[in-house]
Amino acid sequence: MYIILLIVAIIFIPFPIKLGFTYINNKITVNIYNYKINIDREKKRKAKFKIKFEINLKEYIQEIKHLHFKASMKTNIDVNVGLDDAAKTAELFGFINYFIPVIYIELEKFFKIKKYDYNVTPNFKESIFEIKINSIIWISIVKAIYILIHMLLAMIKLHTGPKKINHNLFNFSR
């Protein structure tokens, strides 16, 4: 009896997935729990195999964003930005403050956002661009299976469904 309760608890109780992303001085670091993955932007790796999907991403996102059960997410974004010119730094500061809420709107399609904090700090004295993103995604095994099945069904539906032809693509009339 206790084993069944333990299995049910493991399946339905959400567990945290801790993610981090850091971009400092053209170096990208991805943290998953306490493991760091350094990504070197200079190295170009050749793919050993290619998989080609012909899916309209916009339609796929429309199918996925209506999920009833979504993973919960807490996110903290810190941006430190500066250019040599104070006026250009102020323009960039305003653009970034506009752009970060757009990221929130896009994330809200896929996650239940519990907490979303961001801090943009302008640096008027030196040229710098740093981004630090820390997230915790809470998901249970049942939700993960539900999301994967829904994603696969959406891919099958969009891939095997009737192909839409845009007849106005080559219409040059005014």
Side-chain angles (χ1 to χ4, degrees), residues 50-57 152 155 159:
K50 292 182 180 180
I51 299 173
K52 187 175 181 182
F53 290 104
E54 292 185 15
I55 270 186
N56 187 351
L57 188 61
L152 289 173
M155 284 179 67
H159 188 66

Side-chain angles (χ1 to χ4, degrees), residues 66-170:
H66 297 295
L67 288 173
H68 296 290
F69 301 107
K70 297 178 183 178
S72 299
M73 178 182 220
K74 293 181 181 179
T75 302
N76 183 18
I77 300 174
D78 291 320
V79 179
N80 189 4
V81 63
L83 298 173
D84 293 332
D85 185 19
K88 291 181 181 178
T89 301
E91 288 176 3
L92 185 60
F93 174 76
F95 176 75
I96 292 173
N97 273 316
Y98 166 77
F99 186 70
I100 289 180
V102 172
I103 295 172
Y104 173 81
I105 292 169
E106 294 301 317
L107 284 175
E108 202 173 33
K109 293 178 183 176
F110 304 104
F111 299 101
K112 289 181 184 175
I113 308 292
K114 299 284 183 175
K115 181 180 174 186
Y116 187 81
D117 292 332
Y118 67 93
N119 182 24
V120 181
T121 307
N123 189 340
F124 295 106
K125 296 182 180 178
E126 63 180 320
S127 181
I128 189 169
F129 188 71
E130 297 177 351
I131 299 175
K132 295 178 184 175
I133 302 173
N134 294 314
S135 296
I136 300 174
I137 299 172
W138 293 85
I139 190 163
S140 65
I141 294 173
V142 172
K143 283 184 184 178
I145 292 171
Y146 171 77
I147 291 169
L148 287 174
I149 289 172
H150 194 71
M151 288 172 63
L152 289 173
L153 291 175
M155 284 179 67
I156 291 170
K157 176 182 171 185
L158 293 175
H159 188 66
T160 59
K163 303 294 181 200
K164 295 179 182 177
I165 299 172
N166 188 356
H167 294 289
N168 296 328
L169 186 63
F170 297 107

Side-chain angles (χ1 to χ4, degrees), residues 17-29:
I17 300 172
K18 296 179 183 178
L19 302 172
F21 171 84
T22 306
Y23 177 83
I24 300 174
N25 297 329
N26 290 329
K27 294 181 182 176
I28 300 172
T29 305

